[in-house]
């Protein structure tokens, strides 16, 4: 087993899957695993490299410290490159919330955005409400159970099912939830919130043509480096909507059309 260097210490894994790292006794950053690779984070600095182990990622933080790089706290008014806190409309939810639509280390690609749209639509079907942005399939996602009000982290890879079976795991949702036998009736009641047409004051894209326009706007903003505009356009894709299922299907079809270059039939 690989041994830790004396200059850094890995702390206990947090609920979001990150391990805090101290270097020479000073809090420095974190390391976390995503899609089989390990990444290091240092507040105020972008670290794109991937590492094979958590120890290699932590050792990279030591290297940065030796180069004179230290964690920095954003000045008042500064915002992350892409992630933007936006007040959601709260449509279809019990209360209005502010949450980051994408976590900072998830790249703002159209593919990730469409996956986030699909995940949030499926959460609505399953009776979950996200309390933060989509973190990817294998990271703990903070959410609220709409059947009983429990809050905690669940893995999207478990909720979406596996190996072609769409049944979420575990079937009992979480410890302390209502009895499994009572869940179908309550989910049917919650399903009454969903619509086949978007009723929101600012219409969301629920047709392929509208979805193509929305994706093109985000893509152009990203290409131009206009991250604030990209985040605002992304809001139309990600904020709560009673027609989220229809929106997700339209955006997936539009994204596939853009990728293949073939019209959707």
């Amino acid at each position: 087993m690989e041994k830790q260097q004396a200059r850094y210490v890995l702390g206990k894994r947090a609920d979001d899957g990150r391990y805090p790292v101290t270097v020479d006794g000073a809090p420095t950053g974190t390391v976390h695993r995503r899609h089989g690779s390990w990444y290091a984070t240092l507040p105020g600095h972008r670290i794109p490299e991937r590492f094979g182990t958590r120890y290699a990622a932590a050792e990279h933080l030591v290297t940065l410290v030796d180069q004179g790089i230290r964690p920095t706290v954003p000045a008042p008014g500064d915002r992350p490159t892409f992630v933007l806190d936006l007040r959601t409309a709260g449509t279809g939810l019990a209360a209005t919330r502010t949450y980051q639509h994408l976590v900072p280390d998830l790249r703002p690609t159209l593919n990730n955005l469409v996956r986030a749209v699909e995940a949030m639509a499926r959460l609505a079907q399953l009776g979950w409400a996200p309390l933060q942005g989509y973190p990817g399939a294998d990271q703990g996602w903070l959410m609220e159970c709409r059947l009983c009000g429990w809050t905690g982290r669940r893995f999207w890879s478990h909720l979406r099912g596996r190996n072609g079976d769409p049944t979420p795991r575990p079937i009992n949702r979480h410890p302390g939830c209502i009895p499994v036998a009572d869940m179908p009736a309550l989910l049917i009641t919650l399903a009454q919130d969903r619509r086949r047409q978007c009723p929101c004051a600012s219409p969301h894209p629920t047709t392929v043509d509208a979805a193509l326009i929305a994706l093109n706007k985000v893509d152009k903003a990203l290409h131009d480096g206009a991250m604030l505009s990209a985040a605002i356009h992304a809001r139309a894709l990600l904020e709560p909507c009673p027609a989220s299922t229809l929106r997700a299907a339209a955006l997936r079809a539009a994204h596939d059309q853009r990728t293949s270059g073939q019209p959707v039939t």
Side-chain angles (χ1 to χ4, degrees):
M1 185 175 189
E2 201 168 346
K3 294 183 179 179
Q4 296 185 27
Q5 296 285 334
R7 292 186 58 194
Y8 71 80
V9 176
L10 289 173
K12 183 179 179 182
R13 182 180 183 275
D15 288 341
D16 62 359
R18 296 172 183 269
Y19 295 80
V21 180
T22 59
V23 176
D24 298 332
T28 302
T30 64
V31 298
H32 66 279
R33 188 174 184 270
R34 183 186 296 281
H35 301 308
S37 297
W38 284 87
Y39 297 84
T41 60
L42 186 68
H45 302 276
R46 183 173 179 271
I47 305 175
E49 292 87 353
R50 301 181 182 185
F51 305 93
T53 68
R54 71 189 72 177
Y55 308 114
E59 183 61 34
H60 186 68
L61 293 177
V62 176
T63 300
L64 295 178
V65 168
D66 288 344
Q67 293 173 353
I69 300 175
R70 297 291 189 277
T72 59
V73 178
D78 285 354
R79 292 189 182 275
T81 304
F82 179 81
V83 178
L84 180 67
D85 286 337
L86 296 171
R87 178 64 62 179
T88 68
T91 308
L93 298 180
T96 304
R97 296 186 179 92
T98 296
Y99 64 91
Q100 295 178 325
H101 296 309
L102 291 174
V103 294
D105 56 349
L106 190 66
R107 295 179 59 226
T109 64
L110 293 188
N111 193 43
N112 280 339
L113 285 171
V114 172
R115 286 178 177 174
V117 171
E118 292 174 320
M120 291 183 177
R122 182 61 174 152
L123 286 192
Q125 295 173 356
L126 297 174
W128 293 96
L131 299 181
Q132 65 174 179
Y134 171 71
D138 55 359
Q139 300 293 314
W141 191 358
L142 184 63
M143 58 185 67
E144 177 186 352
C145 175
R146 296 188 66 199
L147 303 188
C148 69
W150 176 90
T151 61
R153 295 186 182 273
R154 312 300 291 172
F155 288 92
W156 171 236
S157 59
H158 296 172
L159 292 177
R160 71 183 180 187
R162 293 184 173 184
N163 301 323
D165 181 357
T167 304
R169 301 288 192 275
I171 195 66
N172 61 353
R173 296 175 68 93
H174 61 84
C177 196
I178 64 173
V180 173
D182 296 338
M183 292 179 184
L186 188 48
L187 286 172
I188 290 173
T189 300
L190 293 176
Q192 296 175 10
D193 291 344
R194 300 202 296 276
R195 298 288 184 271
R196 292 293 298 173
Q197 292 183 329
C198 171
C200 304
S202 298
H204 298 110
T206 55
T207 66
V208 175
D209 288 342
L212 280 169
I213 293 173
L215 290 178
N216 287 338
K217 287 180 178 179
V218 176
D219 189 43
K220 183 180 186 304
L222 290 172
H223 184 268
D224 294 343
M227 295 306 178
L228 177 60
S229 295
I232 292 173
H233 290 313
R235 173 177 177 166
L237 311 184
L238 297 165
E239 66 186 355
C241 174
S244 61
T245 298
L246 193 62
R247 176 178 60 181
L251 285 162
R252 170 51 64 188
H255 181 56
D256 289 347
Q257 176 177 324
R258 283 174 51 93
T259 302
S260 65
Q262 299 297 322
V264 176
T265 58

